[in-house]
Amino acid sequence: MAKKPEDSERPGRIKQLRMIAKIIKEANPKGMPIVYASALGTLALCVVIGLVTGWFWYLLIIGIMLAMTVGLVVFGQLAQRAQYSMLHGQIGAAAAILQGMRGNWEVTPAVAVTRDQDIVHRVVGYPGIILVSEGPGSRVQKMLVAEKKRVQRVALDVPVYDIQSGDGDGQVPLAKLQRHLMKLPRNLKKPALYEINNRLKALPQTLPMPKGPLPRGAKMPRPKMR
């Protein structure tokens, strides 16, 4: 059976790991040595315990598996930190983080955008509707209030949360954004999510958000006045 062109263009698992390792190295030169040290340290501990107890070969096998597990866990954590570091300060960074969440989360980037490049993203999940802003708190609060009123027109009985992402007072840093949403109470059941999404589709569409974060200094297109 012939391979699909798009499948052949996808990098293999080893190539992906190398690419991620390169990103980690660029973000933190000590990152990969930490991964190797954590894996080797776990293996060495198991070997020492095996020599002391007389169960060397058994604990050697266990140690290899544990070392690989620990190394992959540390590798994943460092990769996530590197991602946050790369996205920090870029327009649309919060949307990129939100779209990486696992589970039943429907993310609509840039439901509101201003000329100052302040943005509000909309998320629908088990907690209800969550509005996430990017920009200075003094400016985005008015956007959040306006968008909250707009959303409540079609979702009167659904909880609506507003969150400011950023590094200012009262804002949620990118690194804690996913965790912050996961801690919200589960107010809805799965069937209700489809109903809410259908209601929100009735709202007028605003400017489309380009996929992925925009480079620093890039300008959002201005809406045409009718």
Side-chain angles (χ1 to χ4, degrees):
M1 186 174 181
K3 292 183 179 180
K4 295 181 180 180
E6 45 195 45
D7 291 339
S8 60
E9 292 177 0
R10 292 180 182 176
R13 182 63 60 86
I14 295 177
K15 190 174 181 179
Q16 287 180 345
L17 291 175
R18 287 177 180 173
M19 291 169 61
I20 297 172
K22 186 177 180 180
I23 294 173
I24 293 175
K25 188 176 180 181
E26 291 176 356
N28 181 9
K30 297 181 180 179
M32 291 311 298
I34 292 174
V35 174
Y36 301 140
S38 61
L40 292 174
T42 302
L43 178 59
L45 179 62
C46 290
V47 169
V48 171
I49 295 175
L51 291 172
V52 172
T53 59
W55 291 31
F56 175 76
W57 294 110
Y58 175 75
L59 284 173
L60 176 62
I61 297 172
I62 296 296
I64 292 173
M65 292 188 292
L66 283 176
M68 293 177 63
T69 302
V70 171
L72 287 173
V73 169
V74 176
F75 183 81
Q77 291 176 344
L78 291 174
Q80 193 174 52
R81 292 179 187 175
Q83 180 191 23
Y84 294 147
S85 177
M86 291 175 63
L87 291 174
H88 188 271
Q90 297 193 45
I91 301 170
I97 296 299
L98 293 169
Q99 288 174 326
M101 295 181 66
R102 297 179 180 178
N104 291 312
W105 300 92
E106 184 71 25
V107 181
T108 306
V111 292
V113 184
T114 68
R115 294 182 178 181
D116 295 318
Q117 299 177 348
D118 300 330
I119 312 173
V120 173
H121 312 294
R122 186 178 67 225
V123 183
V124 177
Y126 289 117
I129 300 172
I130 306 107
L131 303 174
V132 182
S133 66
E134 295 185 39
S138 57
R139 295 201 306 247
V140 298
Q141 185 57 37
K142 293 180 180 179
M143 293 178 64
L144 287 170
V145 171
E147 186 61 26
K148 194 170 185 177
K149 290 180 180 179
R150 194 172 80 99
V151 165
Q152 287 175 332
R153 294 175 187 172
V154 296
L156 299 174
D157 54 344
V158 178
V160 181
Y161 300 88
D162 56 274
I163 299 171
Q164 293 188 15
S165 67
D167 299 320
D169 293 336
Q171 294 185 329
V172 180
L174 283 179
K176 298 180 179 180
L177 187 57
Q178 288 190 3
R179 195 183 315 163
H180 188 86
L181 266 68
M182 295 295 293
K183 288 182 178 180
L184 294 175
R186 296 168 67 92
N187 301 309
L188 305 176
K189 294 183 179 180
K190 194 171 183 178
L193 299 181
Y194 298 104
E195 182 184 351
I196 294 168
N197 282 317
N198 289 331
R199 290 190 205 173
L200 292 173
K201 288 179 182 178
L203 291 173
Q205 296 294 321
T206 57
L207 278 173
M209 181 68 175
K211 292 184 179 180
L214 297 177
R216 190 181 303 223
K219 294 183 179 180
M220 292 293 296
R222 297 182 181 182
K224 294 181 181 180
M225 301 299 293
R226 294 184 178 178

